Amino acid sequence: GEKGELVPLVAGAPQAAGAAAAAAGSSPKKQYGSQQSLPASASRSPFRSPTGSMTDLASLARQDSVANLIGIVSGYFQQGNFANKLTQALKIIDENLDLFGSCLDSELDKVTNFHKEKMDELEKRLEVLVDSVGSNYDVISRPHHDDEGGNTFLKLKDAVNRRVASMMPKPPIPGSEADVEKSHHSSHQRGTLVVESDDEAVQSDMLSILRESDSIKRALTDLHRTTMLLNNYDVMNFTGFMKIIKKHDKSFPSRKGRFKGFMKKADIIEGNESEQLGSRMEKLFADWFCDGNIREARAKMLPKRGDGLQMDWSQLRLGYRLGMCAILTLWVCWDCIWGLVHEQQTSIGGRTAFPVFRACGGLLLVHWFWGISVFVWQRYRINYIYLFDFNPRIVDTPMLIFNDVVDETLVFLILMLLYYKSGAHDMPDLIPPGCYAILLVVYTLKCMIFPLRTRGPLWIAIWEVVTAPLTSPKFFHTYVADVFTSMVKVFQDMVWASCYVLSGDFWFSENEHNDVEPHSWQHEFWYKNVLIPLVCLIPLWFRFNQCLRRYMDTKKRFPNLANATKYAMSQTVTLFGAFHPIYLLHSHETKHHKYVFSKDDFNLFQQFWVCLFVASSLYSFTWDVYMDWGLGRPRYGFLGPRLMFPNKFYYYAVIAADLVLRFMWVQSLIPPQSGASFELPSYLTALTMALELLRRTLWGFFRLENEHRQNTEGYRRVDFVPLHFATGHQHKYKKQQEHVGVNVLAEVFVISLVVVTISFLSIMAAQRATARAGAGEL
């Protein structure tokens, strides 16, 4: 055949090669570098015949030159555009880095200025303390015979002993009879009173010196603790700046070392100065109080709980308010029981507005139990903040929760006592008794809404619980929904209180001897057969929907569908209790309805309801122990493999209590005034409500412990949960100032003055009434 010549490549060669390869049924060969792919035909015959036309070769050369020129020009313009963009980006980075450096300098100036101010203050205080010790105790300086040289202080104990010894009478020198007789004669002249007065003076001076010594010891210890806090402040800030610079060097390797001068400026807050000052204080403490033993001095200067150097006035405030709550509680209970038993009068439980107080009291119990739960979780290192996905900046400590709930309890008890006394005509009827219940409702609404900083996230979580089918539930949402299932009685009383307020019944005066109930709306069909059963069902419905949504998200039938079955059984019990009173065991009659059943009517339906009641209770109890708590494993003594609470008795006791209280919870799902023989009396409703809330609190202890130990239902991506550590410092940024001692003492004084004034006026009124009664008899 013909021998071809070498064909030069042009800009469009890759497209031509691809088309030729497709036509030939083979793929083009891929080459790297500046060369392009050749067609299959060209690769097989790369040479042409020498008799070929030279014009073809020249035309191809011209085409190649033009294509290369076009490519070079277009690449030049593209490269220029890229270079402009790169230059602009680098300029923006430099500007941001300059701004970053100025921010670092400003923050370093703040830390450095604070460090210098505190160091100057501490050094001046230490200098004043040293001067006072030297002047008061005649502590002289003496040369220190070691390599360092300089002066040191005599031990404070030696100074005290020398001063006490100088005050003591010198004993006579033995062997000199004249001196003995002279001393004996002089002692008789002074008399016993003079000797005793000298001893008392010496003892008084000794006690005074020891008190001053203890004061100096406490002052030096307080200075040392403040110095150590400053040292921690320095080290933490220096470490933070170091990490920031390292992150900068890692992110911008080309600009590494940009902030070398900054780190030299930051050496002042490395902590060396505060550490040296603390060591100097330890040396002084050791020389004065520990015979020069540095280790003993450091041990004695460690912070101890309750040493009084930094008194927590909030505990005093909480303590006396708890005392006030205890006295008011005893007062309310005494009046209620005494009025019912001794005087045969209706107690507060029989008053018409008592469900309003019971509803607000149930919400108050929820707040109390939440504070107890937070305290227990924090005490046993259960990281509830991490598990609930809380914002640590707005989480209240147990002390703050107890302070708030004690204030709420004081208002609740005062209004309840005023309501009872006004209804019993033991005080002037300034306003209708029902208005005290309205005041309590308004105050409760205020506490449920404010402060918005902490109540806002709670209401958002409640909204996500209500819209469970539409939103994916988190662990905190399921916890809130479970608490709602235990608040059925509270919700029933809240509905009653709402109807009581909207109907205006609180304006009417109460008549204790009237057998007709004034609230006729509570016997209407819409209230008794529609609204109340819905209130019993809705919390269970929320939790049921959460289980179904978890099944949709995880595609796991177990435990989601099994847990949904538990709530479905509880809903069935509620429906039977609301619309089918077939479980009456005997004839029963109420004021508005009459049911006539005999014991022979204990038919299949009644047996079904009783079996459902028992099955639902046992199912819920088994789920609590085995699934929610991770207990009930026979190989671990029917407990779990890893326990965070120290005493196993806690687990067994709570398991036994949960078995009993679970039956009471299912019984609480029966709507009130249904005419059922299983229905509890109205005066026990408050007790059953409190017991169910207590059971839910105990359940929460072990539920979060199990979630902390293992990711039971897959709410977290990782199984590891960090332990929760709480210190004595409150890691909460509050806008309001802390309660100082003066404010707390002023509050105690004002309240004490009010109590004394009221007591004095009450005594005067009682004496005046007694005098009038005596004059009337005469």
Side-chain angles (χ1 to χ4, degrees):
E2 297 181 353
K3 293 182 179 181
E5 298 178 355
L6 183 63
V7 179
L9 299 178
V10 296
Q15 292 80 5
S26 61
S27 60
K29 296 181 181 180
K30 185 176 180 181
Q31 297 184 4
Y32 299 93
S34 59
Q35 297 186 9
Q36 305 290 340
S37 301
L38 294 175
S41 58
S43 62
R44 286 193 300 268
S45 35
F47 297 100
R48 288 187 179 181
S49 171
T51 58
S53 175
M54 297 296 297
T55 56
D56 295 336
L57 185 61
S59 62
L60 288 176
R62 286 194 299 271
Q63 291 178 3
D64 179 59
S65 301
V66 172
N68 290 336
L69 179 62
I70 294 175
I72 292 173
V73 172
S74 62
Y76 174 77
F77 284 105
Q78 291 178 1
Q79 184 178 5
N81 189 16
F82 175 76
N84 292 333
K85 292 182 179 180
L86 180 61
T87 304
Q88 293 177 1
L90 292 176
K91 183 178 180 180
I92 294 174
I93 292 176
D94 291 335
E95 292 177 354
N96 291 332
L97 287 178
D98 293 338
L99 180 61
F100 172 72
S102 62
C103 291
L104 276 182
D105 291 334
S106 62
E107 295 298 325
L108 179 61
D109 292 339
K110 293 178 183 179
V111 176
T112 304
N113 293 334
F114 178 80
H115 166 81
K116 291 180 179 179
E117 292 176 1
K118 290 298 179 181
M119 283 296 298
D120 293 340
E121 179 185 351
L122 291 172
E123 288 177 352
K124 290 179 181 178
R125 290 174 61 185
L126 180 61
E127 183 179 357
V128 171
L129 180 61
V130 171
D131 293 340
S132 64
V133 170
S135 61
N136 290 341
Y137 295 102
D138 192 22
V139 180
I140 61 175
S141 61
R142 62 181 179 184
H144 194 275
H145 301 288
D146 53 8
D147 297 336
E148 297 178 358
N151 297 328
T152 183
F153 291 106
L154 290 177
K155 300 172 185 176
L156 182 63
K157 185 174 64 174
D158 296 338
V160 173
N161 292 335
R162 286 188 286 104
R163 183 167 180 179
V164 171
S166 64
M167 296 178 180
M168 297 295 291
K170 296 182 180 179
I173 301 174
S176 176
E177 296 181 358
D179 293 339
V180 173
E181 291 179 358
K182 185 177 180 180
S183 176
H184 181 71
H185 179 69
S186 62
S187 64
H188 279 287
Q189 288 180 351
R190 290 195 303 267
T192 308
L193 181 61
V194 178
V195 175
E196 292 180 354
S197 63
D198 291 341
D199 294 339
E200 292 178 357
V202 170
Q203 292 179 359
S204 177
D205 291 339
M206 290 176 61
L207 292 177
S208 177
I209 292 174
L210 292 176
R211 282 195 298 267
E212 293 177 4
S213 173
D214 183 68
S215 176
I216 293 174
K217 182 188 297 184
R218 292 164 62 87
L220 185 57
T221 304
D222 191 18
L223 276 178
H224 180 265
R225 295 180 186 180
T226 307
T227 306
M228 290 298 100
L229 290 177
L230 180 61
N231 180 260
N232 294 337
Y233 174 82
D234 293 341
V235 172
M236 290 178 64
N237 281 279
F238 183 78
T239 305
F241 284 123
M242 285 287 295
K243 288 183 177 293
I244 291 174
I245 299 305
K246 287 182 178 180
K247 185 66 175 179
H248 167 268
D249 294 342
K250 184 177 180 181
S251 301
F252 301 96
S254 60
R255 291 171 173 80
K256 189 175 181 180
R258 178 189 179 97
F259 295 100
K260 286 184 178 180
F262 175 83
M263 294 310 302
K264 292 181 180 179
K265 290 166 45 178
D267 288 341
I268 191 174
I269 61 170
E270 192 173 0
N272 295 329
E273 293 183 0
S274 55
E275 186 176 359
Q276 291 175 3
L277 182 60
S279 301
R280 181 185 172 192
M281 294 178 183
E282 293 171 357
K283 183 65 169 60
L284 290 174
F285 193 93
D287 290 341
W288 291 348
F289 304 105
C290 301
D291 295 333
N293 191 337
I294 296 293
R295 291 186 178 180
E296 183 181 355
R298 289 173 180 171
K300 288 185 177 181
M301 298 177 78
L302 287 175
K304 300 177 180 62
R305 185 184 299 272
D307 55 4
L309 290 175
Q310 296 179 352
M311 182 174 180
D312 190 358
W313 290 94
S314 60
Q315 296 182 2
L316 175 62
R317 178 176 177 269
L318 178 62
Y320 85 85
R321 291 194 177 189
L322 279 174
M324 294 170 60
C325 289
I327 294 174
L328 288 174
T329 303
L330 291 176
W331 191 354
V332 171
C333 294
W334 176 260
D335 280 353
C336 295
I337 297 174
W338 186 255
L340 179 64
V341 176
H342 181 70
E343 300 179 2
Q344 300 299 321
Q345 296 178 358
T346 304
S347 66
I348 193 173
R351 299 291 178 85
T352 56
F354 179 70
V356 178
F357 289 90
R358 193 169 58 198
C360 297
L363 295 175
L364 189 62
L365 277 177
V366 172
H367 202 176
W368 270 107
F369 287 139
W370 172 251
I372 295 173
S373 299
V374 171
F375 173 78
V376 172
W377 293 329
Q378 181 175 310
R379 172 67 177 81
Y380 293 101
R381 303 287 188 259
I382 298 175
N383 199 342
Y384 69 98
I385 298 177
Y386 181 86
L387 296 175
F388 285 153
D389 198 16
F390 284 166
N391 183 2
R393 295 179 179 270
I394 63 174
V395 173
D396 288 336
T397 61
M399 182 63 67
L400 293 176
I401 296 175
F402 287 139
N403 278 323
D404 293 339
V405 75
V406 164
D407 295 341
E408 297 167 5
T409 305
L410 281 174
V411 176
F412 174 80
L413 292 174
I414 290 172
L415 291 176
M416 177 181 282
L417 191 61
L418 291 175
Y419 169 73
Y420 175 75
K421 291 295 184 181
S422 178
H425 306 290
D426 292 339
M427 60 177 292
D429 295 334
L430 301 177
I431 58 176
C435 292
Y436 295 108
I438 300 302
L439 292 177
L440 181 61
V441 170
V442 173
Y443 179 76
T444 303
L445 290 176
K446 175 258 177 188
C447 295
M448 293 174 64
I449 297 175
F450 300 100
L452 288 175
R453 194 161 180 258
T454 56
R455 298 295 187 270
L458 176 62
W459 283 107
I460 293 175
I462 292 175
W463 172 252
E464 293 176 347
V465 169
V466 173
T467 59
L470 304 178
T471 59
S472 181
K474 299 180 181 178
F475 179 67
F476 181 64
H477 300 156
T478 61
Y479 180 85
V480 172
D482 282 323
V483 173
F484 280 177
T485 59
S486 297
M487 295 176 61
V488 172
K489 290 295 184 183
V490 180
F491 292 147
Q492 292 173 2
D493 290 335
M494 291 174 63
V495 171
W496 195 99
S498 302
C499 297
Y500 178 78
V501 174
L502 297 176
S503 63
D505 290 348
F506 58 91
W507 288 111
F508 301 103
S509 61
E510 299 181 2
N511 187 1
E512 298 179 2
H513 302 287
N514 190 5
D515 296 334
V516 180
E517 295 188 49
H519 314 299
S520 58
W521 43 265
Q522 64 181 347
H523 304 293
E524 298 294 335
F525 176 82
W526 61 269
Y527 178 84
K528 183 177 180 180
N529 296 94
V530 178
L531 189 57
I532 293 300
L534 283 178
V535 171
C536 298
L537 284 172
I538 285 177
L540 299 171
W541 180 253
F542 291 157
R543 193 67 185 91
F544 179 77
N545 287 334
Q546 285 182 343
C547 296
L548 295 183
R549 180 55 191 260
R550 285 292 298 170
Y551 170 67
M552 293 176 58
D553 295 339
T554 62
K555 308 301 181 182
K556 295 181 180 180
R557 293 186 176 88
F558 187 85
N560 299 309
L561 293 183
N563 200 10
T565 304
K566 179 184 70 173
Y567 295 103
M569 294 178 64
S570 300
Q571 293 179 47
T572 306
V573 174
T574 305
L575 291 173
F576 269 91
F579 302 108
H580 301 283
I582 58 176
Y583 44 84
L584 297 172
L585 300 181
H586 53 80
S587 300
H588 190 76
E589 182 176 358
T590 62
K591 294 182 179 180
H592 301 276
H593 300 280
K594 183 177 181 180
Y595 305 96
V596 180
F597 285 85
S598 62
K599 293 183 179 180
D600 298 334
D601 295 326
F602 190 75
N603 50 25
L604 180 62
F605 295 99
Q606 293 171 331
Q607 295 178 6
F608 173 75
W609 188 89
V610 172
C611 293
L612 186 63
F613 179 91
V614 175
S616 177
S617 301
L618 293 178
Y619 191 5
S620 300
F621 166 74
T622 305
W623 190 274
D624 287 346
V625 176
Y626 196 82
M627 297 299 298
D628 289 343
W629 299 345
L631 305 178
R633 273 59 174 177
R635 59 179 298 185
Y636 301 106
F638 292 96
L639 297 179
R642 293 177 298 160
L643 305 177
M644 300 185 69
F645 293 97
N647 197 338
K648 293 184 179 180
F649 174 76
Y650 298 158
Y651 295 91
Y652 293 118
V654 172
I655 289 174
D658 187 75
L659 176 61
V660 177
L661 296 177
R662 263 299 180 181
F663 284 89
M664 298 185 65
W665 172 76
V666 177
Q667 194 174 24
S668 67
L669 300 177
I670 302 174
Q673 301 177 357
S674 60
S677 60
F678 288 99
E679 181 186 355
L680 294 175
S682 58
Y683 59 86
L684 291 179
T685 303
L687 178 62
T688 57
M689 176 195 303
L691 290 176
E692 172 54 27
L693 293 176
L694 174 62
R695 186 199 67 82
R696 181 58 64 182
T697 303
L698 298 176
W699 173 89
F701 295 163
F702 296 156
R703 178 67 184 93
L704 262 75
E705 181 211 16
N706 188 32
E707 190 67 22
H708 184 105
R709 290 187 285 109
Q710 53 189 353
N711 192 6
T712 54
E713 296 186 14
Y715 289 102
R716 306 187 309 274
R717 294 182 178 180
V718 294
D719 295 337
F720 173 75
V721 177
L723 290 176
H724 176 69
F725 291 97
T727 62
H729 307 285
Q730 295 186 13
H731 301 282
K732 183 185 177 186
Y733 300 90
K734 298 180 293 184
K735 296 181 181 179
Q736 60 182 2
Q737 295 181 353
E738 294 289 341
H739 294 281
V740 297
V742 178
N743 296 336
V744 176
L745 293 178
E747 184 179 350
V748 173
F749 175 76
V750 171
I751 293 177
S752 302
L753 184 62
V754 171
V755 171
V756 171
T757 303
I758 294 176
S759 302
F760 181 73
L761 294 177
S762 301
I763 293 173
M764 291 181 59
Q767 291 179 351
R768 186 176 181 182
T770 303
R772 288 181 178 179
E777 292 178 357
L778 294 176

